[in-house]
Amino acid sequence: MIFVTGGSGFIGSNFIREWLNSNRGAIVNLDKLTYASRFAAASNGIHPDKLYFFCGDIADRQTVSGLLNSHYPLAVIHFAAETHVDRSISTPNEFIHTNVLGTFELLEAVKTYWETLPIAKKEAFRFLHVSTDEVFGSLDASAPPSTELSRYAPNNPYAATKAASDHLVRAYFQTYGFPTLTIHSSNAFGPLQFPEKLIPLAITNAVSGKPIPIYGDGTNTRQWIFVEDLCAAIRAVLKEGRIGQTYNVGGANEIENTKVVETICALLDQAKPRLDGLSYHQQIVYVRDRLG
């Protein structure tokens, strides 16, 4: 039995589907079901005898403790977070609540549960925190990739709240010996992603006849990883990772945002041509770069 927070979100729902379809055991999924949740994707028709869903907030320590003490998981995988940079700029309070206070309350509940386990189960237990490469900030084009030893330099409220949660997780390992693991992922993409992120937004806007926005001059560069590869990395770290350590997970590819969108447009030109015969490239617009 494992306990997953935010299992109805993009990465969490993909993780749950793969975990259950591979007969790896049962899962408790605690999710608040906010706007970006994919409840049906994570909950319907997939080994219902092995998936236990509960709607709730990770900041509700009593709820978390009750679930832990009634299902007895041997691992907690913490996906739950507010993640969209634009939303963090306009409503940072929601990010503080979930990413910082929520992670604190979750850590307190799980640590208390862990302390009650028999010695063998206590030694086997793991708390895996899924974070982001955003905590390292921006790199110059000529700079080498971030490593696990890179300094934190968050540039927006989302990144700052994830950095804060990383520090809390580290502190619980260093102070209490609580068995934590942390993953920093590059930009994930794939099925079930909410269409506010670049790739699904470009696709949905294109086929809907809407402008396809690209920030700045389009030269901002990202490293991408397919969500199934990220889920495989999470499983590997859960199984093999050394407690207290952090692991950067990247897709080993970097591409400018403009090239990402142009590639999508070219693929759509073949798969779903516009009725007027023009290319989807016609819908690309460059907009003012976001703050930070």
Side-chain angles (χ1 to χ4, degrees):
M1 173 73 74
I2 64 171
F3 185 104
V4 170
T5 71
S8 299
F10 165 49
I11 301 173
S13 61
N14 277 278
F15 180 87
I16 286 177
R17 291 178 71 89
E18 292 183 24
W19 182 276
L20 294 180
N21 285 334
S22 300
N23 295 315
R24 288 187 172 90
I27 289 182
V28 173
N29 174 21
L30 175 65
D31 196 290
K32 197 176 178 180
L33 293 184
T34 58
Y35 74 95
S37 296
R38 291 291 185 262
F39 174 70
S43 304
N44 289 350
I46 311 173
H47 302 282
D49 57 322
K50 292 185 177 181
L51 179 60
Y52 305 89
F53 173 77
F54 298 90
C55 183
D57 191 340
I58 59 171
D60 182 349
R61 195 187 306 183
Q62 184 175 356
T63 293
V64 174
S65 296
L67 292 174
L68 293 170
N69 289 314
S70 58
H71 292 277
Y72 308 106
L74 276 181
V76 172
I77 304 178
H78 179 29
F79 293 103
E82 296 288 344
T83 64
H84 191 44
V85 173
D86 289 0
R87 291 179 184 267
S88 80
I89 294 170
S90 59
T91 56
N93 55 305
E94 297 176 6
F95 288 70
I96 294 288
H97 173 80
T98 298
N99 299 356
V100 183
L101 296 179
T103 298
F104 164 70
E105 294 291 349
L106 179 68
L107 283 166
E108 279 288 291
V110 180
K111 181 177 76 71
T112 300
Y113 162 77
W114 168 72
E115 290 172 336
T116 67
L117 293 175
I119 292 177
K121 291 185 176 181
K122 190 175 183 180
E123 291 179 349
F125 186 87
R126 296 292 184 268
F127 180 97
L128 194 158
H129 172 55
V130 181
S131 189
T132 171
D133 63 357
E134 289 262 5
V135 299
F136 301 121
S138 300
L139 293 175
D140 293 333
S142 60
S146 298
T147 73
E148 287 83 355
L149 300 179
S150 296
R151 72 180 183 90
Y152 279 38
N155 290 328
N156 55 67
Y158 161 59
T161 58
K162 289 300 288 186
S165 66
D166 290 359
H167 293 324
L168 284 170
V169 171
R170 172 183 165 83
Y172 272 63
F173 167 71
Q174 294 287 351
T175 304
Y176 307 109
F178 184 57
T180 65
L181 300 159
T182 296
I183 279 180
H184 295 116
S185 168
S186 61
N187 288 44
F189 71 99
L192 309 177
Q193 189 169 27
F194 190 76
E196 64 185 359
K197 304 298 176 71
L198 179 63
I199 290 177
L201 178 66
I203 296 169
T204 55
N205 277 24
V207 299
S208 300
K210 299 177 181 179
I212 306 171
I214 301 178
Y215 283 121
D217 61 4
T219 61
N220 291 335
T221 300
R222 301 287 183 268
Q223 186 180 107
W224 297 91
I225 184 169
F226 187 53
V227 66
E228 292 180 8
D229 295 327
L230 174 55
C231 290
I234 292 169
R235 293 193 301 270
V237 171
L238 183 64
K239 181 180 180 181
E240 304 289 347
R242 290 187 295 132
I243 61 171
Q245 296 299 304
T246 63
Y247 295 88
N248 287 3
V249 179
N253 63 78
E254 294 181 354
I255 185 170
E256 293 181 354
N257 288 347
T258 291
K259 292 182 179 179
V260 172
V261 175
E262 288 177 344
T263 300
I264 290 170
C265 290
L267 290 168
L268 287 173
D269 286 341
Q270 300 176 36
K272 190 179 178 65
R274 282 179 30 160
L275 296 179
D276 59 10
L278 298 176
S279 171
Y280 287 99
H281 285 76
Q282 305 290 326
Q283 295 168 228
I284 295 176
V285 296
Y286 292 90
V287 299
R288 184 179 179 182
D289 210 348
R290 59 190 175 199
L291 299 175

